[in-house]
Amino acid sequence: MNRDELIQTVMPLLRAARSYHRHEVVGLEHVPKDGRALIIVNHSLATYDIVLLMVAIYDDLKRMPRPLIDRLFFKVPFLGDLATLFGAVKGSQGGAESLLDEDEIVTVAPGGMREALRPSTQRYQIRWERRMGFVKLAMRKKSPILLAACPKADDLYEIYPSHMTKWIYQKFRVPIFFARGIGPTPIPRPVKLVHYLSEPMVPPEWIEDDDDGNDQRAKTFHKKLIKRMHALIADAIQHRD
């Protein structure tokens, strides 16, 4: 089975998931009809809210974004192969650059598992402070960035704080957590999910042999992106059902 066949096979299930969550996208018109782009998303524990955004883009533009995913997925039997077949690429600068060179839309969750494993007492937050890689990637590849905020994805599960699970992840990078969905079950709650997309944001110029200048321009743009993401999250929370 190739990627197109897999997409068509799983699409009814993914559309059903969109219906379950009454999923909407505000700002879908900002996604380019052609050419490269980076879509930067917040990372919930559920994670599949990112896939719902990808499906919405596919249904509207017939372009299926290519996600960068954590290396951990490729250590799980069959899951890594399935993710690869679906078009996912192991998170790395080289992999992302290759996709952008092919003018793909690439989804990136800079907060990674550290953001995904936040307890519910820290819901609706992003943890991008030390994550500069996606900014420099956009600069080098002259790729516009669209921010996509879906804070309500943090309400799909109640996640409980635990010093033990935090220590295990910090020590061994194994994402163990205590969480529940509907009642005591792992079934996600039927929360309405809405993605809020920003306008395309053009990165500053990348100048060869100007490491200090590139670092400063990246830091300034990074701060701008975080400020805009916070605004999108606040807007999404204010308009939640």
Side-chain angles (χ1 to χ4, degrees):
M1 182 182 294
N2 60 33
R3 184 183 182 224
D4 289 337
E5 291 172 339
L6 177 63
I7 289 172
Q8 294 307 318
T9 298
V10 302
M11 198 57 72
L13 177 62
L14 297 178
R15 290 186 179 122
R18 288 196 70 202
S19 296
Y20 177 72
H21 291 294
R22 294 164 290 150
H23 180 244
E24 297 178 13
V25 180
V26 176
L28 191 57
E29 68 276 8
H30 295 316
V31 180
K33 293 180 172 61
D34 52 53
R36 69 189 63 176
L38 281 168
I39 297 183
I40 309 301
V41 298
N42 59 294
H43 202 320
S44 71
L45 179 68
T47 304
Y48 71 81
D49 49 285
I50 301 170
V51 179
L52 301 188
L53 173 62
M54 293 167 54
V55 172
I57 293 171
Y58 178 81
D59 283 343
D60 187 67
L61 298 177
K62 294 299 180 281
R63 299 189 70 186
M64 179 60 80
R66 303 286 298 276
L68 294 187
I69 64 176
D70 195 285
R71 290 175 173 83
L72 179 67
F73 282 87
F74 296 92
K75 296 180 180 180
V76 179
F78 304 113
L79 184 58
D81 292 337
L82 181 62
T84 299
L85 188 57
F86 197 72
V89 173
K90 187 183 298 183
S92 70
Q93 287 288 316
E97 288 181 0
S98 296
L99 292 176
L100 292 176
D101 284 340
E102 296 171 1
D103 282 339
E104 297 275 9
I105 297 174
V106 181
T107 61
V108 182
M113 292 306 300
R114 179 172 174 266
E115 187 174 294
L117 294 173
R118 288 166 297 124
S120 292
T121 53
Q122 298 172 16
R123 56 166 57 92
Y124 312 150
Q125 298 180 20
I126 58 172
R127 293 185 173 177
W128 299 359
E129 291 78 8
R130 300 179 183 178
R131 305 300 173 95
M132 298 287 294
F134 73 98
V135 176
K136 293 183 177 180
L137 170 67
M139 290 170 63
R140 286 197 303 271
K141 291 301 176 179
K142 299 180 174 61
S143 173
I145 284 179
L146 286 79
L147 301 174
C150 185
K152 288 291 288 179
D154 283 347
D155 293 335
L156 297 177
Y157 292 98
E158 185 73 21
I159 308 168
Y160 298 97
S162 168
H163 293 299
M164 181 184 71
T165 58
K166 183 178 181 180
W167 178 83
I168 290 174
Y169 182 73
Q170 290 176 342
K171 186 73 173 179
F172 304 105
R173 286 296 184 264
V174 177
I176 296 175
F177 50 86
F178 299 122
R180 65 180 179 87
I182 296 177
T185 76
I187 300 172
R189 296 165 176 167
V191 174
K192 179 176 175 60
L193 298 179
V194 181
H195 273 95
Y196 281 70
L197 266 61
S198 75
E199 67 288 350
M201 303 176 72
V202 179
E205 183 181 6
W206 180 271
I207 301 175
E208 296 297 334
D209 302 319
D210 184 17
D211 292 344
D212 290 341
N214 289 330
D215 284 344
Q216 187 56 52
R217 285 185 287 275
K219 289 177 182 177
T220 300
F221 188 52
H222 185 258
K223 290 179 181 177
K224 181 180 179 180
L225 292 171
I226 289 180
K227 182 178 180 180
R228 184 71 179 96
M229 189 64 168
H230 283 156
L232 285 172
I233 290 173
D235 197 35
I237 295 171
Q238 181 181 356
H239 290 90
R240 65 185 178 180
D241 288 350

